[in-house]
Structures are given as structure tokens and as C-alpha cells.
Amino acid sequence: ARARTVGELLAPTSPFDKKCGRENWTVAFAPDGSYLAWSQGHRIVKLVPWAQCLNNFLLHGTKNGANAAGARLPRQSSDGSQKNKPCEHIIDCGDIVWSLAFGSSVPEKQSRCVNIEWHRFKFGQDQLLLATGLNNGRIKIWDVYTGKLLLNLMDHTEVVRDLTFAPDGSLILVSASRDKTLRVWDLKDDGNMMKVLRGHPNWVYGCAFSPDSSILCSVGASKAVFLWDMDKYSMLRKLEGHHNDVVACEFSPDGALLATASYDTRVYVWDPHIGVILREFGHLFPPPTPIFAGGANDRWVRAVSFSHDGLHVASLADDKMVRFWRIDEEYPVQVAPLNNGLCCTFSTDGSVLAAGQDGSVYFWATPRQVCSLQHLCRLAIRRVMPTSQVRNLPIPCKVLEFLCYQI
């Protein structure tokens, strides 16, 4: 089935911009769904109120709505009283932007630093930050409501390829870089770098927190998929199964599953707690043998994202297709065309998939399908306990099998 197009946001182009340098490597939604941000190429990041975008798509149609969204949204005011009224604005980051991440603060979540009285910034309940990872190895932290630069983090020596905030509101930020390291930053401690995670033999392409912020997954070149304990900052395990560079990863909303995308033309869905592959989504048929896994570069998978309901996975590949998969089926349930796609992510409520390409963003509606009772039960029990505890429940084996994701 063909995925339903919702709209598109097109970057303005000039004759000098059409060949290279306008890659949209990253697109992100704010945790509360208020903003959408994407890299328009070169040094520019654009933030727009997501609700107004959707309204424009509905009012003006798919293509006209994109242009209207760029033309009609009010610009950000410097007046601090406008915080509760999201406005569009543009940020010049000073270098090519490779990664974006939104972070919101929970005041009760204290910094791990002892000398909190020396902090320059006090993050309140209405604080919303945008982290941008740059080509020169710097990470710039911006106040979304004012557009002001708050912090400039400068410890990486190569491209910052990915960023992710801990979902618990602690403003712990993890960055993945081509310098083969992951770095952990405490933004409530004025951006203090808490830890360097080493172990990747080559470039680190991506990283993602589990929903409870206890586990970090990092992926990179040389088939690397690593899981880290974020309480002890130690490696939990390596997941082995891919045959080429792994470029993207994301946990399911209940934390029980992990999806990884690789240049070996596959997306794997893992049980990260035992390191087992539960499902393989192939983008080349027949699948390439391991010795040729790097040769089918027109099928390289660039991005993967889990939907809000935990039932669907979206993947984006070099064969000019976006695919929506159900985690319990082998073949895509919907597809859509997209040339030169580089990144994708679901909106905060999971209703829309956004994909980036050449400075622009395209949107499709998420497939609407009824979840099985089994899937709903799996989600429900993991709201109160992690998978490791589910496996130890004193209940009949058949009920336990019903609640666990099986091969």
C-alpha cells in the first residue's frame, strides 16, 4: 500500500545551492510536540511550531501548505513573555550541522554536580533546549524559546554525528562522534563533561537512550552495536549480527526492543536484554551474503525509527523508498518514494513520519492498524516493570511467553 502524504517543508534554494552541501542529516521533534527542527544544509537550523505546520498542511494542501508554513508563521520575538507562544525562527550554527536533539528539564531532577550554587543557568520547568552537533566537533546548546546560545561544548575532535538526551528530564546529553568516542554531558552543570565512553574501533554513527534512561545503545562502523549501563558508565554487551557499518538505532517505546539499521541492507529488531535478533527486515532480495554485504550500496539503509505505538518501524534506504513495517510481519505494510533520503523520525504523538532530504522535510501518515491484545498487554506491563523483571515473574510459562517478545 502507498503511504498517505501529509505535507512537505521545502528549503529555499538558489542556483549555487543545488549541487551539494544542502544535506539534511537530521530532523527532530520536541518532547512536548511543540516544535519541529531540521538542518537546512550548510549552517542553518530551522525551528517551526509543529501544530501550525499541521494546520497549514490541512488548510493549503500538501505542497502549498509547505510554502505557506514557511511564509506565514510569525518570527520569534525577543520578548520573554512570548515563551508560551511557539514561534518560528532560524539559527545559524556557524558550521555544517550533522545532528540535532531536543531536551526538556524536570526541576526535581538534580544535577550530579555537588556545587550547584555555582551554576550560570537554572533550568526551570518551561525550559526547552536544542543541541546541535557540528562538523568541527563542537556542540552548541540553544534556548528554543529565545534562540540564544547558552553553551558551546568543545571536547570532540571530529564530526559530532549524533546527539541524544536522556528522557528522564535530567538534561544528560550523549554525543557520538567520528573521533570513535561517546561523551556524556551534564547540562544542568553548565555542560560539564562527565564521562568519555570508549570501545568503538571506528566512527560512531548514532546513539539512543532506552525510555527509562538506564541503557544507551551506540552504533558505528565495523558492524558495531554496543549497549552501555548509564548508571555505571560501563559496557553491558556487544550485539553481533550485522555484516556492515551500523548507522542508526532506536529503542521501542516500552524499552523491550531495539531496532538497528545497517549498510548491509537490513534492519534488525533485537531483544537487547538477551542480545537476540527477533526480526529481520531485508531491503534486498535475495539478501546479500556476508562477503558481499557491503556491495549493494543502492540498498543501504540510512535510518530507522520506532512508532509511538511500538507496533511499526520505519526505515529509509538508498533505493529511494521509505518503508513502514509491522514488527510481527516480514514485509512492509506501506511504502512511499523519496530520493536521497538521509534521516527519519516519528512525531511525538507517533501520527506522522518526517524524513529529511536535501534541506527539505517530507511527511507521511503512520499506518493505522489495530494492535493485538498481546501487544497491548506487553506494552502495559512494561509501564510498571522492565523486561528483565517480566522474565522473572512467578506466573505460568504460557502467560510468560504471552508477555515476552519471541522469535
Side-chain angles (χ1 to χ4, degrees):
R2 182 76 172 264
R4 181 173 64 86
T5 302
V6 174
E8 57 190 31
L9 294 173
L10 304 178
T13 58
S14 68
F16 302 102
D17 291 335
K18 291 183 178 178
K19 287 191 175 180
C20 63
R22 293 199 63 85
E23 291 88 354
N24 177 1
W25 289 106
T26 179
V27 60
F29 288 92
D32 61 358
S34 58
Y35 276 97
L36 165 73
W38 77 98
S39 58
Q40 287 196 325
H42 305 303
R43 313 182 311 182
I44 303 302
V45 170
K46 191 164 186 178
L47 293 105
V48 295
W50 176 233
Q52 290 178 263
C53 269
L54 280 179
N55 288 337
N56 278 317
F57 292 150
L58 293 173
L59 288 173
H60 302 282
T62 300
K63 294 191 176 180
N64 294 332
N67 297 328
R72 300 189 178 200
L73 294 177
R75 288 300 179 90
Q76 174 69 30
S77 168
S78 59
D79 183 5
S81 65
Q82 296 292 319
K83 276 191 175 184
N84 295 326
K85 197 174 182 182
C87 299
E88 171 189 334
H89 53 275
I90 293 173
I91 296 176
D92 186 341
C93 296
D95 205 344
I96 295 172
V97 180
W98 285 83
S99 50
L100 294 172
F102 281 98
S104 58
S105 172
V106 175
E108 295 78 20
K109 195 78 177 180
Q110 293 295 326
S111 166
R112 301 192 186 189
C113 175
V114 177
N115 299 318
I116 54 176
E117 65 272 11
W118 295 104
H119 287 178
R120 286 189 298 158
F121 304 107
K122 292 185 178 180
F123 296 104
Q125 194 164 5
D126 60 347
Q127 192 80 30
L128 183 61
L129 306 181
L130 178 69
T132 56
L134 307 181
N135 192 69
N136 58 10
R138 296 191 178 189
I139 303 167
K140 292 187 176 182
I141 311 298
W142 309 82
D143 186 318
V144 171
Y145 299 121
T146 64
K148 292 181 180 178
L149 178 64
L150 298 178
L151 297 169
N152 194 353
L153 313 178
M154 299 183 290
D155 282 282
H156 280 298
T157 58
E158 293 285 346
V159 171
V160 179
R161 191 63 185 84
D162 198 16
L163 295 165
T164 183
F165 276 97
D168 60 4
S170 62
L171 289 184
I172 298 297
L173 174 70
V174 176
S175 55
S177 172
R178 287 183 180 175
D179 64 12
K180 307 179 186 178
T181 68
L182 298 129
R183 295 174 190 258
V184 185
W185 315 82
D186 186 352
L187 299 194
K188 285 191 176 181
D189 185 20
D190 291 343
N192 175 49
M193 190 182 69
M194 301 161 55
K195 195 71 177 178
V196 180
L197 303 180
R198 305 182 189 274
H200 279 268
N202 215 314
W203 291 359
V204 190
Y205 279 105
C207 54
F209 269 103
S210 62
D212 63 0
S213 304
S214 65
I215 298 175
L216 180 82
C217 175
S218 63
V219 297
S222 306
K223 316 172 191 177
V225 182
F226 295 166
L227 296 178
W228 306 83
D229 183 332
M230 293 308 288
D231 291 325
K232 301 177 181 178
Y233 301 116
S234 60
M235 188 181 297
L236 284 172
R237 64 177 59 89
K238 300 178 183 179
L239 303 182
E240 298 182 355
H242 280 295
H243 304 294
N244 203 336
D245 294 356
V246 189
V247 294
C249 60
E250 189 167 19
F251 282 90
S252 61
D254 64 359
L257 303 175
L258 171 70
T260 56
S262 170
Y263 288 163
D264 66 8
T265 76
R266 299 170 174 93
V267 167
Y268 285 155
V269 177
W270 309 75
D271 182 333
H273 305 280
I274 57 176
V276 173
I277 298 171
L278 300 178
R279 179 70 69 184
E280 175 185 328
F281 298 134
H283 295 66
L284 180 66
F285 302 96
T289 57
I291 196 171
F292 294 113
N297 56 5
D298 61 333
R299 296 294 190 276
W300 284 1
V301 188
R302 294 282 180 179
V304 66
S305 184
F306 250 108
S307 67
H308 184 69
D309 60 8
L311 187 63
H312 293 94
V313 173
S315 65
L316 192 155
D318 282 349
D319 62 356
K320 304 177 182 179
M321 297 292 289
V322 177
R323 293 173 173 84
F324 294 90
W325 314 77
R326 272 182 65 116
I327 61 170
D328 53 359
E329 295 183 11
E330 294 183 6
Y331 301 103
V333 293
Q334 289 186 8
V335 297
L338 180 68
N339 291 332
N340 303 322
L342 295 172
C343 59
C344 68
T345 187
F346 282 96
S347 59
T348 307
D349 65 0
S351 63
V352 173
L353 178 77
Q357 170 250 10
D358 293 343
S360 301
V361 190
Y362 299 84
F363 304 93
W364 295 273
T366 304
R368 292 190 176 187
Q369 296 180 313
V370 177
C371 298
S372 66
L373 176 62
Q374 183 181 33
H375 184 74
L376 294 174
C377 289
R378 288 169 171 171
L379 293 176
I381 196 168
R382 284 168 178 81
R383 290 175 184 165
V384 295
M385 63 177 62
T387 292
S388 57
Q389 293 182 18
V390 172
R391 296 182 183 280
N392 296 324
L393 286 174
I395 55 178
C397 292
K398 287 295 183 182
V399 179
L400 196 59
E401 289 178 10
F402 185 80
L403 294 174
C404 291
Y405 294 91
Q406 304 290 332
I407 298 176

